[in-house]
Amino acid sequence: DLLREEFCFVDTDDNGVISKSELQSLVKNVSTQANLPLVDGEQLDFSMKLFDLNQDGKLTTEELLRALVLDGAVAEDAVDADVYGVFDRNGNGTIEQEEFRQTLGDIGANGDATKDFVYDRVDRLSESGGHLNSSAFGNALVLMRALLLGY
């Protein structure tokens, strides 16, 4: 919820949907601050489609946040502690399947089946017994990122 509030500035007309011009403004600001080249219209269109996780043709703030979490949550084989805390809704130090499903939210048709497949596969391979630790959870996020974002 804290991240959601901080990312409200992207949705400048406050309609719940991020338009191409709103995303373009965000990208321009970030590119300028980080001294990165600007993306062209084709790249921006692709990003909008990529981050539209449920593929309904609308990019919401919620989808952008989820995509950014999937993109940046795991680095150098370590899971961001804040991301782990968001997923660990019951605070027991591990991620259960229902926490994984609920926190990822709507990812479109067959989304729950995809989340269950990823969770079950990682759980089985890591022998976690239905309780993913940080390392196993990182593997699950990497697999979800590959399935949803293609990398």
Side-chain angles (χ1 to χ4, degrees):
D1 288 339
L2 293 173
L3 282 176
R4 191 173 294 108
E5 290 174 16
E6 290 193 21
F7 272 83
C8 286
F9 73 92
V10 178
D11 182 19
T12 57
D13 60 8
D14 200 29
N15 68 353
V17 176
I18 299 171
S19 68
K20 183 177 178 178
S21 64
E22 288 170 328
L23 185 61
Q24 190 167 28
S25 178
L26 172 66
V27 169
K28 182 179 179 182
N29 289 339
V30 170
S31 296
T32 301
Q33 289 178 10
N35 198 27
L36 298 169
L38 292 174
V39 298
D40 63 28
E42 191 174 306
Q43 291 170 314
L44 196 62
D45 287 339
F46 178 78
S47 295
M48 296 233 7
K49 291 176 186 172
L50 180 66
F51 294 148
D52 178 11
L53 298 179
N54 67 3
Q55 298 297 296
D56 67 354
K58 300 174 192 162
L59 177 60
T60 65
T61 305
E62 189 74 28
E63 288 173 314
L64 180 60
L65 286 172
R66 277 188 259 141
L68 292 174
V69 164
L70 286 171
D71 184 50
V74 182
E76 303 287 327
D77 295 330
V79 175
D80 181 90
D82 290 332
V83 171
Y84 194 80
V86 168
F87 276 80
D88 184 17
R89 292 174 172 219
N90 65 13
N92 71 348
T94 63
I95 310 300
E96 281 77 39
Q97 190 159 10
E98 192 57 31
E99 292 173 314
F100 189 73
R101 288 176 103 214
Q102 288 179 359
T103 308
L104 282 172
D106 180 15
I107 58 171
N110 299 316
D112 285 341
T114 301
K115 291 181 273 189
D116 289 345
F117 170 79
V118 167
Y119 188 95
D120 291 342
R121 180 137 175 92
V122 170
D123 182 43
R124 189 171 46 257
L125 292 173
S126 63
E127 299 176 353
S128 297
H131 301 276
L132 301 184
N133 63 20
S134 180
S135 176
F137 174 65
N139 291 332
L141 286 183
V142 168
L143 187 51
M144 285 300 296
R145 180 178 65 199
L147 290 170
L148 294 175
L149 302 178
Y151 60 93

